[in-house]
Amino acid sequence: MREYIQLRRMELVPAAQINRPGAYLPHHGVFHADNPNKIRVVFNGISLNDTLLPGPKLQADITVVVSNWRHFKVTGTTNVEKLYRQIVVHRDDVDCQRVLWRADLSKDVREYRCTTVTYGTAAAHVLSHQLYVDNIFFGVDSVKEAISARNQLISLLAMAETKLAKWAANNSSIIQDFVAFSPESVTMKMDKAVSTLGLKWTSAQDYFTFHLAPRTEPLAVTRRSILSELSSTFNPMGWLAPVLVSAKLRYKCTNKETTPAPGHGFAPKFVWGLLVPDTEDPCA
């Protein structure tokens, strides 16, 4: 929140404007297990969204995005850094994004208002209809064309003082020259998977991977918990259908004698056992 104030993305509401009509956004901090020193502020725009017109769905279907992207020989991806925070809200509307906050417990709660677009509001998606949320995907048929497209993209967004980060490509030549001046913005671990579109892309080998890790904590074994575990894998393109459908068929064919009784058993272990068929007949 201090960073928001320093970057002028949030300001104290002047005393003379406290009584102006507006809306207050609840907020809380979210920590990521892989980076515990970084906190992300999440705003809840539910009450405000009740009065906003969301408009038509403009975001492209993820299956279309991935399919079009994979038509090209040379591909890459990048992320618009703090996309929504780069766009200023009209002064007539800033009071619709008020928040209550205090720097520490010894101080009084004060009223602030966000001066840039807040992710989570119904109208925010209109700003990114040419992207998939804040991700940009590009593809061409040669490295030369890819470098040219990359430079044009950087120059175009720089005009709006917008930066691109988390670059990755299936050819290291496209992002190699970034390392010298911006190593933090480049994914140079070509042998490791990069998260994009909710999928894992190994750029060096240019293929998608799935990390199927069952939960280790005990879970009540019920038909609902088993189905929930089978459905928890993000599979928008249907690539895992041969495995998941087989598991669901095996689950469907289980009966009271083979299905663990309800209770605090180890559902994940049982569920993932369904994914390893020991026979061609799912009902055997």
Side-chain angles (χ1 to χ4, degrees):
M1 299 296 276
R2 290 191 181 93
E3 181 184 6
Y4 282 2
I5 296 174
Q6 293 170 358
L7 296 176
R8 293 184 297 178
R9 293 169 180 164
M10 187 172 79
E11 65 183 15
L12 193 65
V13 179
Q17 299 179 11
I18 288 291
N19 294 325
R20 287 177 54 176
Y24 292 82
L25 303 179
H27 57 89
H28 63 277
V30 174
F31 293 88
H32 197 284
D34 296 335
N35 190 1
N37 294 324
K38 184 177 181 179
I39 183 173
R40 180 168 62 94
V41 181
V42 175
F43 295 91
N44 186 339
I46 293 178
S47 58
L48 175 61
N49 286 342
D50 291 339
T51 62
L52 292 178
L53 297 176
K57 179 183 178 181
L58 299 176
Q59 185 168 286
D61 187 274
I62 188 172
T63 58
V64 176
V65 174
V66 174
S67 298
N68 290 340
W69 185 42
R70 304 312 300 156
H71 282 172
F72 301 98
K73 181 179 179 180
V74 182
T75 59
T77 178
T78 183
N79 178 275
V80 181
E81 193 174 77
K82 300 175 181 176
L83 170 64
Y84 297 102
R85 291 293 170 186
Q86 306 296 331
I87 304 170
V88 176
V89 173
H90 194 281
R91 297 303 298 179
D92 291 344
D93 300 320
V94 291
D95 285 296
C96 292
Q97 297 188 143
R98 288 192 184 187
V99 296
L100 300 176
W101 181 72
R102 59 182 174 185
D104 56 66
L105 297 178
S106 64
K107 297 183 178 180
D108 295 332
V109 174
R110 307 186 73 180
E111 296 193 27
Y112 294 83
R113 58 191 180 192
C114 298
T115 59
T116 56
V117 174
T118 299
Y119 180 71
T121 55
H125 74 282
V126 176
L127 303 172
S128 60
H129 69 278
Q130 295 294 339
L131 315 173
Y132 194 87
V133 189
D134 56 358
N135 296 302
I136 295 177
F137 302 90
F138 60 92
V140 289
D141 293 320
S142 70
V143 174
K144 183 178 180 180
E145 289 178 287
I147 294 176
S148 176
R150 179 204 69 185
N151 293 340
Q152 291 182 44
L153 188 59
I154 293 173
S155 299
L156 179 63
L157 292 182
M159 295 172 64
E161 299 183 359
T162 300
K163 296 181 180 179
L164 296 170
K166 299 180 182 179
W167 290 83
N170 62 356
N171 189 304
S172 60
S173 300
I174 300 174
I175 56 178
Q176 189 72 47
D177 54 347
F178 281 163
V179 179
F181 64 89
S182 185
E184 70 281 357
S185 70
V186 183
T187 304
M188 288 302 295
K189 298 177 181 178
M190 301 287 286
D191 58 330
K192 295 186 178 181
V194 178
S195 295
T196 183
L197 293 175
L199 303 170
K200 294 289 185 179
W201 179 46
T202 304
S203 55
Q205 289 77 29
D206 201 11
Y207 59 68
F208 290 93
T209 63
F210 291 85
H211 180 60
L212 306 178
R215 293 176 303 200
T216 57
E217 71 273 13
L219 182 69
V221 181
T222 63
R223 297 184 68 85
R224 178 176 293 181
S225 66
I226 293 172
L227 284 176
S228 175
E229 193 72 18
L230 286 173
S231 303
S232 63
T233 301
F234 186 58
N235 182 38
M237 303 295 291
W239 293 330
L240 291 181
V243 176
L244 295 178
V245 170
S246 175
K248 290 178 181 179
L249 286 174
R250 290 168 62 83
Y251 165 76
K252 182 179 180 180
C253 294
T254 58
N255 51 41
K256 294 182 180 180
E257 295 179 358
T258 59
T259 306
H264 294 284
F266 207 69
K269 183 176 181 180
F270 173 78
V271 169
W272 291 100
L274 294 175
L275 296 177
V276 188
D278 52 8
T279 176
E280 294 182 359
D281 183 2
C283 293

